[in-house]
Amino acid sequence: MAVQKTPWTRVNAKVCCTCEYWDGERELQFLPGVRLNAILAQFNPQGRCLAKMNCLMAYDNPGAAYCATYKRWHKLP
């Protein structure tokens, strides 16, 4: 099965795909001037959370804002 990607997600959104523990595929989008703009994340198959016993997570899970294990992905500013 081919990996399907989401629409672009803002890099400052506190959702699962911007977390260090999310294991799905991700790509970064840079605008002219080398400014990081957005992240393209895998949604099918779903990513998993390595901090929560490898459970399935939605890339845009708004619960990440309240997650005790959320840690911003090291590649994001």
Side-chain angles (χ1 to χ4, degrees):
M1 173 193 290
V3 171
Q4 294 177 336
K5 301 277 179 99
T6 65
W8 290 100
T9 303
R10 293 189 349 239
V11 295
N12 58 354
K14 195 171 182 181
V15 293
C16 285
C17 71
T18 62
C19 179
E20 186 72 31
Y21 298 110
W22 195 79
D23 80 339
E25 290 184 21
R26 303 180 261 207
E27 293 177 31
L28 299 175
Q29 177 193 55
F30 292 89
L31 293 179
V34 194
R35 185 174 72 88
L36 182 58
N37 181 55
I39 183 172
L40 186 67
Q42 167 187 333
F43 81 91
N44 188 15
Q46 281 180 270
R48 294 179 179 269
C49 178
L50 299 178
K52 294 186 175 183
M53 300 187 325
N54 212 29
C55 67
L56 289 171
M57 301 302 279
Y59 77 96
D60 62 347
N61 177 15
Y66 309 103
C67 180
T69 60
Y70 181 88
K71 181 180 175 188
R72 193 153 174 83
W73 187 30
H74 69 277
K75 291 191 177 184
L76 299 178

